[in-house]
mmCIF file of all heavy atoms in Angstrom:
data_model
loop_
_atom_site.group_PDB
_atom_site.id
_atom_site.type_symbol
_atom_site.label_atom_id
_atom_site.label_comp_id
_atom_site.label_asym_id
_atom_site.label_seq_id
_atom_site.Cartn_x
_atom_site.Cartn_y
_atom_site.Cartn_z
ATOM 1 N N LYS Y 350 -32.259 -163.613 -23.018
ATOM 2 C CA LYS Y 350 -33.177 -162.953 -23.877
ATOM 3 C C LYS Y 350 -33.774 -161.702 -23.255
ATOM 4 O O LYS Y 350 -34.172 -161.713 -22.095
ATOM 5 C CB LYS Y 350 -34.325 -163.888 -24.242
ATOM 6 C CG LYS Y 350 -33.974 -165.166 -24.990
ATOM 7 C CD LYS Y 350 -35.208 -166.044 -25.235
ATOM 8 C CE LYS Y 350 -34.740 -167.379 -25.936
ATOM 9 N NZ LYS Y 350 -35.872 -168.207 -26.180
ATOM 10 N N PHE Y 351 -33.809 -160.580 -23.962
ATOM 11 C CA PHE Y 351 -34.459 -159.406 -23.494
ATOM 12 C C PHE Y 351 -35.973 -159.575 -23.680
ATOM 13 O O PHE Y 351 -36.379 -159.840 -24.771
ATOM 14 C CB PHE Y 351 -33.908 -158.171 -24.309
ATOM 15 C CG PHE Y 351 -32.509 -157.850 -24.085
ATOM 16 C CD1 PHE Y 351 -31.531 -158.134 -25.092
ATOM 17 C CD2 PHE Y 351 -32.059 -157.171 -22.989
ATOM 18 C CE1 PHE Y 351 -30.286 -157.907 -24.932
ATOM 19 C CE2 PHE Y 351 -30.790 -156.828 -22.794
ATOM 20 C CZ PHE Y 351 -29.823 -157.182 -23.806
ATOM 21 N N GLN Y 352 -36.706 -159.484 -22.589
ATOM 22 C CA GLN Y 352 -38.120 -159.747 -22.609
ATOM 23 C C GLN Y 352 -38.916 -158.615 -21.982
ATOM 24 O O GLN Y 352 -39.327 -158.506 -20.802
ATOM 25 C CB GLN Y 352 -38.466 -160.931 -21.797
ATOM 26 C CG GLN Y 352 -37.874 -162.247 -22.288
ATOM 27 C CD GLN Y 352 -38.308 -163.487 -21.573
ATOM 28 O OE1 GLN Y 352 -37.715 -163.795 -20.494
ATOM 29 N NE2 GLN Y 352 -39.357 -164.169 -21.842
ATOM 30 N N PRO Y 353 -39.253 -157.638 -22.882
ATOM 31 C CA PRO Y 353 -40.018 -156.385 -22.462
ATOM 32 C C PRO Y 353 -41.512 -156.897 -22.241
ATOM 33 O O PRO Y 353 -41.930 -157.913 -22.799
ATOM 34 C CB PRO Y 353 -39.812 -155.502 -23.576
ATOM 35 C CG PRO Y 353 -39.706 -156.296 -24.727
ATOM 36 C CD PRO Y 353 -38.825 -157.498 -24.324
ATOM 37 N N CYS Y 354 -42.185 -155.971 -21.474
ATOM 38 C CA CYS Y 354 -43.472 -156.265 -21.184
ATOM 39 C C CYS Y 354 -44.539 -155.848 -22.273
ATOM 40 O O CYS Y 354 -44.372 -154.747 -22.817
ATOM 41 C CB CYS Y 354 -43.957 -155.567 -19.858
ATOM 42 S SG CYS Y 354 -42.986 -156.042 -18.421
ATOM 43 N N ASN Y 355 -45.468 -156.717 -22.507
ATOM 44 C CA ASN Y 355 -46.492 -156.406 -23.539
ATOM 45 C C ASN Y 355 -47.525 -155.448 -22.837
ATOM 46 O O ASN Y 355 -47.681 -155.453 -21.680
ATOM 47 C CB ASN Y 355 -47.208 -157.714 -23.939
ATOM 48 C CG ASN Y 355 -46.267 -158.465 -25.004
ATOM 49 O OD1 ASN Y 355 -45.521 -157.871 -25.669
ATOM 50 N ND2 ASN Y 355 -46.632 -159.735 -25.051
ATOM 51 N N PRO Y 356 -48.204 -154.690 -23.725
ATOM 52 C CA PRO Y 356 -49.288 -153.791 -23.229
ATOM 53 C C PRO Y 356 -50.244 -154.481 -22.486
ATOM 54 O O PRO Y 356 -50.761 -155.579 -22.882
ATOM 55 C CB PRO Y 356 -49.829 -153.189 -24.517
ATOM 56 C CG PRO Y 356 -48.756 -153.171 -25.518
ATOM 57 C CD PRO Y 356 -48.088 -154.480 -25.221
ATOM 58 N N GLY Y 357 -50.715 -154.039 -21.294
ATOM 59 C CA GLY Y 357 -51.683 -154.558 -20.434
ATOM 60 C C GLY Y 357 -51.191 -155.626 -19.461
ATOM 61 O O GLY Y 357 -52.048 -156.118 -18.685
ATOM 62 N N TYR Y 358 -49.874 -155.793 -19.362
ATOM 63 C CA TYR Y 358 -49.350 -156.796 -18.363
ATOM 64 C C TYR Y 358 -48.294 -156.191 -17.406
ATOM 65 O O TYR Y 358 -47.678 -155.251 -17.674
ATOM 66 C CB TYR Y 358 -48.531 -157.825 -19.163
ATOM 67 C CG TYR Y 358 -49.436 -158.839 -19.954
ATOM 68 C CD1 TYR Y 358 -49.870 -158.557 -21.340
ATOM 69 C CD2 TYR Y 358 -50.113 -159.893 -19.371
ATOM 70 C CE1 TYR Y 358 -50.577 -159.316 -22.086
ATOM 71 C CE2 TYR Y 358 -50.895 -160.806 -20.089
ATOM 72 C CZ TYR Y 358 -51.240 -160.401 -21.501
ATOM 73 O OH TYR Y 358 -52.024 -161.365 -22.153
ATOM 74 N N PHE Y 359 -48.351 -156.815 -16.284
ATOM 75 C CA PHE Y 359 -47.439 -156.374 -15.195
ATOM 76 C C PHE Y 359 -46.010 -157.099 -15.590
ATOM 77 O O PHE Y 359 -46.027 -158.131 -16.239
ATOM 78 C CB PHE Y 359 -47.807 -156.738 -13.803
ATOM 79 C CG PHE Y 359 -49.195 -156.151 -13.435
ATOM 80 C CD1 PHE Y 359 -50.311 -156.794 -13.528
ATOM 81 C CD2 PHE Y 359 -49.095 -154.904 -12.844
ATOM 82 C CE1 PHE Y 359 -51.521 -156.124 -13.187
ATOM 83 C CE2 PHE Y 359 -50.269 -154.148 -12.526
ATOM 84 C CZ PHE Y 359 -51.453 -154.770 -12.691
ATOM 85 N N TRP Y 360 -44.989 -156.709 -14.956
ATOM 86 C CA TRP Y 360 -43.672 -157.318 -15.159
ATOM 87 C C TRP Y 360 -43.699 -158.790 -14.909
ATOM 88 O O TRP Y 360 -42.932 -159.567 -15.631
ATOM 89 C CB TRP Y 360 -42.544 -156.643 -14.518
ATOM 90 C CG TRP Y 360 -42.534 -156.934 -13.056
ATOM 91 C CD1 TRP Y 360 -42.997 -156.092 -12.058
ATOM 92 C CD2 TRP Y 360 -41.976 -158.026 -12.454
ATOM 93 N NE1 TRP Y 360 -42.818 -156.639 -10.745
ATOM 94 C CE2 TRP Y 360 -42.024 -157.806 -11.015
ATOM 95 C CE3 TRP Y 360 -41.288 -159.268 -12.796
ATOM 96 C CZ2 TRP Y 360 -41.674 -158.778 -10.014
ATOM 97 C CZ3 TRP Y 360 -40.866 -160.082 -11.902
ATOM 98 C CH2 TRP Y 360 -41.013 -159.987 -10.474
ATOM 99 N N TYR Y 361 -44.457 -159.135 -14.011
ATOM 100 C CA TYR Y 361 -44.623 -160.651 -13.672
ATOM 101 C C TYR Y 361 -45.733 -161.472 -14.252
ATOM 102 O O TYR Y 361 -45.914 -162.655 -13.984
ATOM 103 C CB TYR Y 361 -44.708 -160.781 -12.112
ATOM 104 C CG TYR Y 361 -45.864 -159.900 -11.481
ATOM 105 C CD1 TYR Y 361 -47.165 -160.269 -11.566
ATOM 106 C CD2 TYR Y 361 -45.572 -158.706 -11.014
ATOM 107 C CE1 TYR Y 361 -48.285 -159.541 -11.167
ATOM 108 C CE2 TYR Y 361 -46.644 -157.751 -10.455
ATOM 109 C CZ TYR Y 361 -47.914 -158.321 -10.500
ATOM 110 O OH TYR Y 361 -48.933 -157.547 -10.093
ATOM 111 N N SER Y 362 -46.449 -160.805 -15.197
ATOM 112 C CA SER Y 362 -47.614 -161.551 -15.859
ATOM 113 C C SER Y 362 -47.608 -161.444 -17.306
ATOM 114 O O SER Y 362 -48.751 -161.262 -17.851
ATOM 115 C CB SER Y 362 -48.814 -161.047 -15.245
ATOM 116 O OG SER Y 362 -49.085 -159.617 -15.586
ATOM 117 N N ASN Y 363 -46.516 -161.556 -18.015
ATOM 118 C CA ASN Y 363 -46.405 -161.425 -19.379
ATOM 119 C C ASN Y 363 -46.970 -162.765 -20.098
ATOM 120 O O ASN Y 363 -46.502 -163.048 -21.295
ATOM 121 C CB ASN Y 363 -45.141 -161.068 -19.915
ATOM 122 C CG ASN Y 363 -45.069 -160.058 -21.142
ATOM 123 O OD1 ASN Y 363 -46.032 -159.403 -21.221
ATOM 124 N ND2 ASN Y 363 -44.029 -160.279 -21.937
ATOM 125 N N GLY Y 364 -47.721 -163.460 -19.483
ATOM 126 C CA GLY Y 364 -48.038 -164.831 -19.942
ATOM 127 C C GLY Y 364 -47.313 -165.991 -19.272
ATOM 128 O O GLY Y 364 -47.929 -167.038 -18.845
ATOM 129 N N THR Y 365 -46.012 -165.684 -19.034
ATOM 130 C CA THR Y 365 -45.107 -166.597 -18.292
ATOM 131 C C THR Y 365 -44.099 -165.844 -17.519
ATOM 132 O O THR Y 365 -43.948 -164.632 -17.696
ATOM 133 C CB THR Y 365 -44.298 -167.459 -19.208
ATOM 134 O OG1 THR Y 365 -43.649 -166.803 -19.987
ATOM 135 C CG2 THR Y 365 -45.265 -168.292 -20.122
ATOM 136 N N TRP Y 366 -43.596 -166.457 -16.388
ATOM 137 C CA TRP Y 366 -42.661 -165.715 -15.686
ATOM 138 C C TRP Y 366 -41.419 -165.498 -16.613
ATOM 139 O O TRP Y 366 -41.217 -166.397 -17.467
ATOM 140 C CB TRP Y 366 -42.051 -166.688 -14.547
ATOM 141 C CG TRP Y 366 -41.165 -165.918 -13.589
ATOM 142 C CD1 TRP Y 366 -39.881 -166.117 -13.616
ATOM 143 C CD2 TRP Y 366 -41.480 -165.103 -12.664
ATOM 144 N NE1 TRP Y 366 -39.284 -165.362 -12.686
ATOM 145 C CE2 TRP Y 366 -40.209 -164.640 -11.908
ATOM 146 C CE3 TRP Y 366 -42.679 -164.576 -11.940
ATOM 147 C CZ2 TRP Y 366 -40.065 -163.827 -10.906
ATOM 148 C CZ3 TRP Y 366 -42.574 -163.711 -10.865
ATOM 149 C CH2 TRP Y 366 -41.306 -163.357 -10.338
ATOM 150 N N PRO Y 367 -40.710 -164.383 -16.653
ATOM 151 C CA PRO Y 367 -39.766 -164.056 -17.627
ATOM 152 C C PRO Y 367 -38.627 -165.154 -17.544
ATOM 153 O O PRO Y 367 -38.145 -165.582 -16.441
ATOM 154 C CB PRO Y 367 -39.199 -162.798 -17.087
ATOM 155 C CG PRO Y 367 -39.596 -162.646 -15.700
ATOM 156 C CD PRO Y 367 -40.970 -163.265 -15.636
ATOM 157 N N GLU Y 368 -38.208 -165.592 -18.703
ATOM 158 C CA GLU Y 368 -37.114 -166.566 -18.862
ATOM 159 C C GLU Y 368 -35.881 -165.871 -18.386
ATOM 160 O O GLU Y 368 -35.626 -164.775 -18.464
ATOM 161 C CB GLU Y 368 -36.913 -166.952 -20.368
ATOM 162 C CG GLU Y 368 -38.069 -167.698 -20.954
ATOM 163 C CD GLU Y 368 -37.806 -168.020 -22.447
ATOM 164 O OE1 GLU Y 368 -36.648 -168.209 -22.791
ATOM 165 O OE2 GLU Y 368 -38.827 -168.152 -23.054
ATOM 166 N N GLY Y 369 -35.070 -166.834 -17.773
ATOM 167 C CA GLY Y 369 -33.845 -166.300 -17.198
ATOM 168 C C GLY Y 369 -32.568 -166.878 -17.745
ATOM 169 O O GLY Y 369 -32.644 -167.675 -18.770
ATOM 170 N N TYR Y 370 -31.482 -166.603 -17.131
ATOM 171 C CA TYR Y 370 -30.122 -167.121 -17.598
ATOM 172 C C TYR Y 370 -29.194 -167.061 -16.418
ATOM 173 O O TYR Y 370 -29.484 -166.427 -15.407
ATOM 174 C CB TYR Y 370 -29.602 -166.336 -18.737
ATOM 175 C CG TYR Y 370 -28.948 -164.963 -18.383
ATOM 176 C CD1 TYR Y 370 -27.712 -164.822 -18.428
ATOM 177 C CD2 TYR Y 370 -29.755 -163.902 -18.087
ATOM 178 C CE1 TYR Y 370 -26.948 -163.652 -17.967
ATOM 179 C CE2 TYR Y 370 -29.210 -162.790 -17.653
ATOM 180 C CZ TYR Y 370 -27.875 -162.583 -17.551
ATOM 181 O OH TYR Y 370 -27.204 -161.373 -17.294
ATOM 182 N N TRP Y 371 -28.135 -167.892 -16.365
ATOM 183 C CA TRP Y 371 -27.153 -167.867 -15.310
ATOM 184 C C TRP Y 371 -26.081 -166.780 -15.680
ATOM 185 O O TRP Y 371 -25.596 -166.763 -16.731
ATOM 186 C CB TRP Y 371 -26.365 -169.278 -15.290
ATOM 187 C CG TRP Y 371 -25.437 -169.173 -14.189
ATOM 188 C CD1 TRP Y 371 -24.093 -169.052 -14.288
ATOM 189 C CD2 TRP Y 371 -25.573 -169.364 -12.797
ATOM 190 N NE1 TRP Y 371 -23.467 -168.888 -13.003
ATOM 191 C CE2 TRP Y 371 -24.365 -169.201 -12.146
ATOM 192 C CE3 TRP Y 371 -26.831 -169.583 -12.034
ATOM 193 C CZ2 TRP Y 371 -24.329 -169.308 -10.741
ATOM 194 C CZ3 TRP Y 371 -26.709 -169.809 -10.657
ATOM 195 C CH2 TRP Y 371 -25.459 -169.614 -9.947
ATOM 196 N N SER Y 372 -26.110 -165.807 -14.839
ATOM 197 C CA SER Y 372 -25.162 -164.622 -14.828
ATOM 198 C C SER Y 372 -23.821 -164.966 -14.254
ATOM 199 O O SER Y 372 -23.793 -165.132 -12.980
ATOM 200 C CB SER Y 372 -25.772 -163.445 -14.216
ATOM 201 O OG SER Y 372 -24.945 -162.363 -14.209
ATOM 202 N N LYS Y 373 -22.688 -164.970 -15.060
ATOM 203 C CA LYS Y 373 -21.435 -165.075 -14.500
ATOM 204 C C LYS Y 373 -20.982 -163.749 -13.764
ATOM 205 O O LYS Y 373 -20.174 -163.827 -12.954
ATOM 206 C CB LYS Y 373 -20.462 -165.340 -15.699
ATOM 207 C CG LYS Y 373 -20.737 -166.739 -16.369
ATOM 208 C CD LYS Y 373 -19.752 -166.949 -17.501
ATOM 209 C CE LYS Y 373 -19.913 -168.302 -18.206
ATOM 210 N NZ LYS Y 373 -18.950 -168.585 -19.304
ATOM 211 N N LEU Y 374 -21.578 -162.700 -14.148
ATOM 212 C CA LEU Y 374 -21.272 -161.350 -13.611
ATOM 213 C C LEU Y 374 -21.710 -161.432 -12.126
ATOM 214 O O LEU Y 374 -21.009 -160.859 -11.261
ATOM 215 C CB LEU Y 374 -21.930 -160.303 -14.456
ATOM 216 C CG LEU Y 374 -21.417 -158.817 -14.206
ATOM 217 C CD1 LEU Y 374 -19.894 -158.789 -14.479
ATOM 218 C CD2 LEU Y 374 -22.239 -157.914 -15.049
ATOM 219 N N THR Y 375 -22.825 -161.994 -11.870
ATOM 220 C CA THR Y 375 -23.348 -161.933 -10.367
ATOM 221 C C THR Y 375 -23.320 -163.294 -9.803
ATOM 222 O O THR Y 375 -23.615 -163.374 -8.614
ATOM 223 C CB THR Y 375 -24.895 -161.444 -10.366
ATOM 224 O OG1 THR Y 375 -25.627 -162.344 -11.106
ATOM 225 C CG2 THR Y 375 -24.852 -159.934 -10.923
ATOM 226 N N ASN Y 376 -22.878 -164.333 -10.550
ATOM 227 C CA ASN Y 376 -22.796 -165.705 -10.120
ATOM 228 C C ASN Y 376 -24.188 -166.191 -9.457
ATOM 229 O O ASN Y 376 -24.268 -166.844 -8.516
ATOM 230 C CB ASN Y 376 -21.768 -165.833 -9.062
ATOM 231 C CG ASN Y 376 -21.396 -167.212 -8.832
ATOM 232 O OD1 ASN Y 376 -21.306 -168.090 -9.878
ATOM 233 N ND2 ASN Y 376 -20.981 -167.657 -7.657
ATOM 234 N N LYS Y 377 -25.173 -165.913 -10.263
ATOM 235 C CA LYS Y 377 -26.539 -166.362 -9.707
ATOM 236 C C LYS Y 377 -27.571 -166.234 -11.017
ATOM 237 O O LYS Y 377 -27.223 -165.653 -12.030
ATOM 238 C CB LYS Y 377 -27.066 -165.493 -8.711
ATOM 239 C CG LYS Y 377 -27.387 -164.082 -8.938
ATOM 240 C CD LYS Y 377 -28.001 -163.413 -7.669
ATOM 241 C CE LYS Y 377 -28.344 -161.946 -8.042
ATOM 242 N NZ LYS Y 377 -28.885 -161.208 -6.722
ATOM 243 N N TRP Y 378 -28.615 -166.968 -10.751
ATOM 244 C CA TRP Y 378 -29.713 -166.969 -11.811
ATOM 245 C C TRP Y 378 -30.460 -165.708 -11.841
ATOM 246 O O TRP Y 378 -30.830 -165.140 -10.842
ATOM 247 C CB TRP Y 378 -30.721 -168.172 -11.508
ATOM 248 C CG TRP Y 378 -31.752 -168.219 -12.576
ATOM 249 C CD1 TRP Y 378 -32.976 -167.883 -12.613
ATOM 250 C CD2 TRP Y 378 -31.481 -168.997 -13.832
ATOM 251 N NE1 TRP Y 378 -33.717 -168.217 -13.873
ATOM 252 C CE2 TRP Y 378 -32.819 -168.945 -14.585
ATOM 253 C CE3 TRP Y 378 -30.473 -169.654 -14.480
ATOM 254 C CZ2 TRP Y 378 -32.940 -169.475 -15.791
ATOM 255 C CZ3 TRP Y 378 -30.706 -170.313 -15.718
ATOM 256 C CH2 TRP Y 378 -31.927 -170.186 -16.330
ATOM 257 N N GLN Y 379 -30.586 -165.241 -13.070
ATOM 258 C CA GLN Y 379 -31.348 -163.885 -13.215
ATOM 259 C C GLN Y 379 -32.565 -164.187 -14.136
ATOM 260 O O GLN Y 379 -32.450 -164.748 -15.240
ATOM 261 C CB GLN Y 379 -30.490 -162.796 -13.944
ATOM 262 C CG GLN Y 379 -29.197 -162.436 -13.199
ATOM 263 C CD GLN Y 379 -29.383 -161.621 -12.042
ATOM 264 O OE1 GLN Y 379 -30.616 -161.073 -11.884
ATOM 265 N NE2 GLN Y 379 -28.503 -161.228 -11.257
ATOM 266 N N ASP Y 380 -33.689 -163.778 -13.536
ATOM 267 C CA ASP Y 380 -35.010 -163.962 -14.475
ATOM 268 C C ASP Y 380 -35.597 -162.520 -14.625
ATOM 269 O O ASP Y 380 -35.807 -162.014 -15.719
ATOM 270 C CB ASP Y 380 -35.814 -164.986 -13.852
ATOM 271 C CG ASP Y 380 -36.039 -164.942 -12.344
ATOM 272 O OD1 ASP Y 380 -35.885 -163.757 -11.781
ATOM 273 O OD2 ASP Y 380 -36.300 -165.900 -11.745
ATOM 274 N N LYS Y 381 -36.111 -161.995 -13.468
ATOM 275 C CA LYS Y 381 -36.793 -160.670 -13.428
ATOM 276 C C LYS Y 381 -35.951 -159.700 -14.314
ATOM 277 O O LYS Y 381 -36.487 -158.745 -14.986
ATOM 278 C CB LYS Y 381 -37.078 -160.132 -12.161
ATOM 279 C CG LYS Y 381 -37.875 -158.851 -12.091
ATOM 280 C CD LYS Y 381 -38.024 -158.366 -10.634
ATOM 281 C CE LYS Y 381 -38.767 -157.063 -10.516
ATOM 282 N NZ LYS Y 381 -38.895 -156.629 -9.131
#
Side-chain angles (χ1 to χ4, degrees):
K350 297 179 181 178
F351 294 100
Q352 291 185 279
C354 295
N355 282 336
Y358 289 93
F359 300 100
W360 71 263
Y361 49 81
S362 65
N363 215 31
T365 60
W366 187 265
E368 294 180 28
Y370 77 104
W371 181 262
S372 168
K373 294 180 180 179
L374 197 59
T375 59
N376 198 35
K377 66 179 182 180
W378 185 261
Q379 297 285 355
D380 44 27
K381 180 182 178 182

